[in-house]
Amino acid sequence: MILIPIDVERAREKYGDRLEILKGVEFGAPHLHPKEYEMILGKDFDMIIASVHFLPLDFGIHWFWAQREAVKAEAEAYFMQKYYEEMRRLVAVGGFDVLAHFDWPKRTGFTFREDQEACREIFAVLEENDAVLEINTSAYRYGFDAFFPAPSILSIYREAGGNRLTIGSDAHCADDVGAYFQRAATDLGGPWEIGYFKNRAFVSLGVHEG
């Protein structure tokens, strides 16, 4: 749900006595759009989420039907290599609060290959920048049996020193706001410190023990 500033102020006037209404933004690939990202950083958002939705690929494939599985496997390996490269570039920029849906490429139908070394490098920089990882419950909506990122990736995040998480539903309509939060809490395990951001600072909601 996208609210322009005037909508936020109107919502605060109408519901402010019952709801705490904060302002956040998701910025895709800030490392590719430095001027626009700098402008966003200068705004008074409570939370800035960063993500990768686009890969600058540079290959061409001639598809041989008899070799389609081999070609698909090669393409997937290349795809994942590029994805981790973009993630490294993204976290190096810093300035954001939350890294979103880390293994989102699973939605494309490709096989998401977990590169433990790359994940550790990325999460170490995330910790250095005082940013946190997002638990994204939209995975349930798309038919996956676990949230984004997978529990195995969360284990690597913890090994890299991460213990704080935010939970988001990646809602694109009102009905999906907060969807599957209870299921995610059941599946999450623990202990994890769950929270949100206000004035660009992490606000803890407590430790989830699992």
Side-chain angles (χ1 to χ4, degrees):
M1 182 181 297
I2 300 174
L3 296 176
I4 60 174
I6 192 170
D7 292 327
V8 172
E9 294 309 317
R10 286 174 178 170
R12 284 174 172 168
E13 289 177 8
K14 187 173 183 178
Y15 303 108
D17 60 334
R18 287 173 283 168
L19 296 173
E20 181 179 34
I21 300 174
L22 305 175
K23 289 189 291 185
V25 63
E26 179 177 357
F27 197 103
H31 56 291
L32 298 179
H33 309 283
K35 291 183 180 179
E36 293 82 357
Y37 186 48
E38 184 177 359
M39 180 184 68
I40 288 294
L41 291 176
K43 302 294 184 180
D44 63 339
F45 289 107
D46 290 287
M47 177 176 70
I48 297 176
I49 302 173
S51 56
V52 167
H53 294 93
F54 169 80
L55 296 182
L57 303 179
D58 56 2
F59 69 92
I61 295 177
H62 185 83
W63 294 91
F64 291 95
W65 181 254
Q67 298 175 320
R68 62 189 181 279
E69 291 304 320
V71 172
K72 182 174 182 289
E74 186 71 20
E76 286 181 342
Y78 177 81
F79 179 91
M80 290 311 307
Q81 175 190 344
K82 287 293 186 179
Y83 183 74
Y84 285 118
E85 287 178 5
E86 289 304 295
M87 274 292 184
R88 286 187 177 98
R89 294 176 63 195
L90 184 156
V91 296
V93 170
F96 58 89
D97 307 302
V98 179
L99 182 61
H101 46 62
F102 186 84
D103 54 359
W104 181 87
K106 289 190 295 191
R107 278 195 57 199
T108 66
F110 276 71
T111 300
F112 187 88
R113 306 183 184 202
E114 294 182 13
D115 184 328
Q116 293 193 13
E117 181 179 352
C119 288
R120 279 192 291 268
E121 291 176 9
I122 291 165
F123 294 151
V125 176
L126 203 65
E127 280 297 297
E128 290 175 7
N129 293 338
D130 200 32
V132 309
L133 199 61
E134 176 205 54
I135 295 297
N136 189 303
T137 66
S138 71
Y140 298 118
R141 194 162 71 241
Y142 297 116
F144 293 92
D145 58 5
F147 42 69
F148 299 137
S152 54
I153 292 178
L154 278 187
S155 296
I156 303 172
Y157 176 61
R158 188 186 294 281
E159 291 172 4
N163 72 321
R164 298 178 303 161
L165 299 168
T166 63
I167 300 180
S169 54
D170 209 335
H172 289 238
C173 66
D175 288 344
D176 291 333
V177 174
Y180 299 103
F181 276 22
Q182 188 57 52
R183 180 174 174 181
T186 301
D187 294 344
L188 186 56
W192 294 101
E193 187 173 8
I194 308 298
Y196 64 100
F197 281 83
K198 182 177 181 179
N199 295 324
R200 308 295 310 284
F202 185 80
V203 178
S204 177
L205 294 172
V207 176
H208 177 74
E209 296 292 349

